[in-house]
Short mmCIF file of all heavy atoms in Angstrom, two decimals:
data_model
loop_
_atom_site.label_atom_id
_atom_site.label_comp_id
_atom_site.label_asym_id
_atom_site.label_seq_id
_atom_site.Cartn_x
_atom_site.Cartn_y
_atom_site.Cartn_z
N TRP A 221 -13.56 -1.57 6.46
CA TRP A 221 -12.79 -1.44 5.32
C TRP A 221 -11.42 -2.21 5.76
O TRP A 221 -11.01 -2.20 6.85
CB TRP A 221 -12.38 -0.01 5.03
CG TRP A 221 -13.48 0.94 4.73
CD1 TRP A 221 -14.26 1.62 5.48
CD2 TRP A 221 -13.91 1.10 3.41
NE1 TRP A 221 -15.16 2.36 4.76
CE2 TRP A 221 -15.01 2.01 3.39
CE3 TRP A 221 -13.63 0.67 2.06
CZ2 TRP A 221 -15.70 2.40 2.38
CZ3 TRP A 221 -14.36 0.97 1.01
CH2 TRP A 221 -15.40 1.92 1.13
N ARG A 222 -11.01 -2.97 4.70
CA ARG A 222 -9.68 -3.65 4.89
C ARG A 222 -8.75 -3.02 4.01
O ARG A 222 -8.90 -2.80 2.79
CB ARG A 222 -9.90 -5.15 4.49
CG ARG A 222 -10.70 -5.92 5.44
CD ARG A 222 -10.26 -7.29 5.60
NE ARG A 222 -11.26 -7.80 6.74
CZ ARG A 222 -11.15 -7.74 7.97
NH1 ARG A 222 -10.04 -7.20 8.50
NH2 ARG A 222 -12.08 -8.18 8.75
N ILE A 223 -7.50 -2.71 4.46
CA ILE A 223 -6.47 -1.85 3.75
C ILE A 223 -5.29 -2.87 3.36
O ILE A 223 -4.73 -3.54 4.31
CB ILE A 223 -6.04 -0.77 4.65
CG1 ILE A 223 -7.20 -0.04 5.20
CG2 ILE A 223 -5.16 0.19 3.78
CD1 ILE A 223 -8.06 0.71 4.37
N ASN A 224 -4.84 -2.91 2.14
CA ASN A 224 -3.70 -3.54 1.77
C ASN A 224 -2.77 -2.67 0.85
O ASN A 224 -3.31 -1.97 0.02
CB ASN A 224 -4.00 -4.89 1.07
CG ASN A 224 -4.52 -5.97 2.09
OD1 ASN A 224 -3.78 -6.64 2.71
ND2 ASN A 224 -5.91 -5.95 1.95
N GLY A 225 -1.48 -2.79 1.09
CA GLY A 225 -0.65 -1.93 0.26
C GLY A 225 0.56 -1.29 1.00
O GLY A 225 0.91 -1.87 2.09
N GLN A 226 1.19 -0.35 0.52
CA GLN A 226 2.36 0.26 1.31
C GLN A 226 2.51 1.91 1.01
O GLN A 226 2.21 2.27 -0.11
CB GLN A 226 3.64 -0.27 0.77
CG GLN A 226 4.78 0.30 1.39
CD GLN A 226 6.12 0.07 0.65
OE1 GLN A 226 6.31 -0.73 -0.31
NE2 GLN A 226 7.14 0.79 1.11
N LYS A 227 2.81 2.49 2.10
CA LYS A 227 3.12 3.83 2.01
C LYS A 227 4.55 4.19 2.31
O LYS A 227 5.20 3.28 2.89
CB LYS A 227 2.27 4.76 3.04
CG LYS A 227 0.72 4.63 2.72
CD LYS A 227 0.26 5.43 1.70
CE LYS A 227 -1.18 5.22 1.22
NZ LYS A 227 -1.54 5.98 0.04
N VAL A 228 5.15 5.35 1.89
CA VAL A 228 6.54 5.66 2.23
C VAL A 228 6.65 7.08 2.56
O VAL A 228 5.79 7.86 2.18
CB VAL A 228 7.43 5.00 1.05
CG1 VAL A 228 7.24 5.99 -0.21
CG2 VAL A 228 8.83 4.92 1.53
N TRP A 229 7.76 7.36 3.12
CA TRP A 229 8.07 8.87 3.60
C TRP A 229 7.04 9.24 4.61
O TRP A 229 6.79 10.47 4.68
CB TRP A 229 8.13 9.77 2.39
CG TRP A 229 8.89 9.29 1.18
CD1 TRP A 229 8.32 9.27 -0.07
CD2 TRP A 229 10.10 8.81 1.00
NE1 TRP A 229 9.29 8.83 -1.02
CE2 TRP A 229 10.41 8.44 -0.27
CE3 TRP A 229 11.14 8.57 2.01
CZ2 TRP A 229 11.62 8.09 -0.70
CZ3 TRP A 229 12.36 8.15 1.63
CH2 TRP A 229 12.52 7.85 0.27
N SER A 230 6.48 8.45 5.37
CA SER A 230 5.42 8.83 6.24
C SER A 230 6.00 9.35 7.60
O SER A 230 6.51 8.65 8.47
CB SER A 230 4.49 7.60 6.60
OG SER A 230 4.32 6.86 5.53
N THR A 231 6.24 10.66 7.67
CA THR A 231 6.72 11.38 8.84
C THR A 231 6.02 11.05 9.99
O THR A 231 4.85 11.22 10.07
CB THR A 231 6.91 12.89 8.61
OG1 THR A 231 7.42 13.09 7.30
CG2 THR A 231 7.70 13.62 9.59
N GLY A 232 6.79 10.74 11.04
CA GLY A 232 6.05 10.50 12.39
C GLY A 232 5.20 9.42 12.60
O GLY A 232 4.47 9.17 13.47
N ALA A 233 5.23 8.45 11.56
CA ALA A 233 4.23 7.25 11.65
C ALA A 233 4.63 6.35 12.77
O ALA A 233 3.72 5.60 13.37
CB ALA A 233 4.30 6.45 10.26
#
Side-chain angles (χ1 to χ4, degrees):
W221 293 93
R222 296 215 176 271
I223 315 295
N224 285 283
Q226 184 200 341
K227 297 287 170 179
V228 72
W229 315 127
S230 319
T231 310

